[in-house]
């Protein structure tokens, strides 16, 4: 006997993610993964250990010169990342 309540795999995954309240965490992962796209490969080479916690993006920078440049561009970077995410995910950026 066939079930009439069939849905696609994509729909099932979306409803599961929504039920488990994982949307916010998945968007946080997307923001971290879009770091290279937002800033380019050159800057991404000097950064590591990028993570987002409670709206604060933490970035470890290996070069003091690059860190200084990023500090001056902090607000622009935050806006770019939020634009890529489609909503306000990053409220502050901390460079270490």
């Amino acid at each position: 006997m066939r079930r009439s309540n069939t849905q696609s795999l994509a729909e099932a995954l979306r409803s599961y993610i929504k039920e488990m309240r994982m949307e916010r965490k998945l968007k946080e992962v997307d923001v971290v993964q879009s770091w290279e796209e937002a800033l380019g490969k050159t800057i991404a080479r000097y950064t590591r250990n990028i993570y987002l916690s409670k709206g604060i993006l933490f970035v470890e920078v290996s070069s003091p010169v690059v860190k200084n440049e990023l500090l001056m561009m902090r607000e622009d970077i935050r806006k770019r990342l939020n634009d890529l995410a489609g909503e306000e995910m990053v409220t502050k950026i901390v460079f270490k």
Side-chain angles (χ1 to χ4, degrees):
M1 193 166 182
R2 288 190 129 158
R3 291 185 181 181
S4 62
N5 186 13
T6 59
Q7 59 183 353
S8 71
L9 182 59
E11 291 170 353
L13 286 173
R14 274 190 218 105
S15 65
Y16 177 76
I17 288 170
K18 190 171 185 173
E19 268 183 46
M20 300 310 270
R21 298 183 181 142
M22 295 189 310
E23 299 114 343
R24 180 88 177 157
K25 190 64 180 171
L26 288 173
K27 282 201 175 203
E28 288 178 5
V29 171
D30 287 342
V31 166
V32 171
Q33 289 180 346
S34 67
W35 177 259
E36 185 177 328
E37 180 184 340
L39 295 170
K41 290 183 181 186
T42 306
I43 299 294
R45 253 186 289 176
Y46 293 103
T47 58
R48 59 180 177 264
N49 295 336
I50 304 165
Y51 62 95
L52 187 62
S53 176
K54 298 179 183 173
I56 301 172
L57 183 69
F58 295 92
V59 181
E60 188 176 322
V61 185
S62 61
S63 167
V65 175
V66 173
K67 181 178 177 181
N68 191 38
E69 289 293 320
L70 291 174
L71 283 169
M72 290 190 294
M73 298 172 42
R74 183 184 309 197
E75 189 61 27
D76 185 45
I77 295 168
R78 188 186 69 78
K79 286 179 184 175
R80 274 193 234 168
L81 291 171
N82 286 332
D83 286 345
L84 287 171
E87 67 178 87
E88 186 77 15
M89 295 294 296
V90 180
T91 57
K92 182 179 177 183
I93 301 176
V94 175
F95 296 106
K96 301 188 229 174

